[in-house]
Amino acid sequence: MNEKQRIFKLMNGLWDLEKCSVPEGSMVKDEFEEGSVCSMLYKEVYDANRRICERLGVEEDRDVELIIGNLLKIGEYQSMKMYDYGAKSKKEY
C-alpha cells in the first residue's frame, strides 16, 4: 500500500492507530471522528437512506446503496488524483 492510500484510510477512520501504526498516523486526522463535518454529513446520508428504505418498506434498497457506494468511490478517486496533482506540482516548483 502506498502513502496516498494510507493517508486516505487514515482520513476515513479505517485504521485503529492503537492496533497498528503507520508513519503518517501522527499527522493525518480522522475526518470522521465524532462531531466532525464528515461525521455529521455521513449521519445525514445514513438517516436519509433509512427514511427512504422505510418509505419503500425494505431493509435496504439496492439503488440507494449503489448511489451511496458510487459517490464514495468518486470521492476516493478524486482524492487519489488530487494527491497525485499535489505531489506533481510540488516537484515542479
Side-chain angles (χ1 to χ4, degrees):
M1 180 175 307
N2 61 35
E3 180 184 41
K4 70 181 177 181
Q5 292 167 323
R6 287 191 305 270
I7 290 171
F8 183 82
K9 287 183 180 295
L10 288 166
M11 285 180 59
N12 284 280
L14 300 174
W15 276 341
D16 181 350
L17 290 177
E18 292 179 11
K19 295 181 180 173
C20 67
S21 65
V22 292
E24 302 84 2
S26 63
M27 70 171 201
V28 178
K29 178 183 169 211
D30 175 356
E31 297 297 335
F32 283 85
E33 69 186 9
E34 188 71 32
S36 68
V37 170
C38 290
S39 173
M40 291 184 280
L41 291 170
Y42 190 82
K43 181 178 180 342
E44 287 183 27
V45 169
Y46 177 82
D47 291 344
N49 179 28
R50 297 309 325 138
R51 289 190 303 272
I52 290 170
C53 289
E54 189 175 307
R55 283 195 304 270
L56 294 173
V58 296
E59 189 60 35
E60 71 177 39
D61 182 77
R62 191 174 76 204
D63 289 333
V64 173
E65 294 299 321
L66 178 69
I67 291 166
I68 294 168
N70 281 348
L71 285 172
L72 292 171
K73 288 176 186 175
I74 288 168
E76 180 176 0
Y77 178 81
Q78 288 182 312
S79 295
M80 296 298 145
K81 294 297 274 187
M82 182 176 246
Y83 182 95
D84 292 340
Y85 291 137
K88 181 180 177 185
S89 69
K90 184 178 177 181
K91 289 178 186 174
E92 292 176 359
Y93 295 104

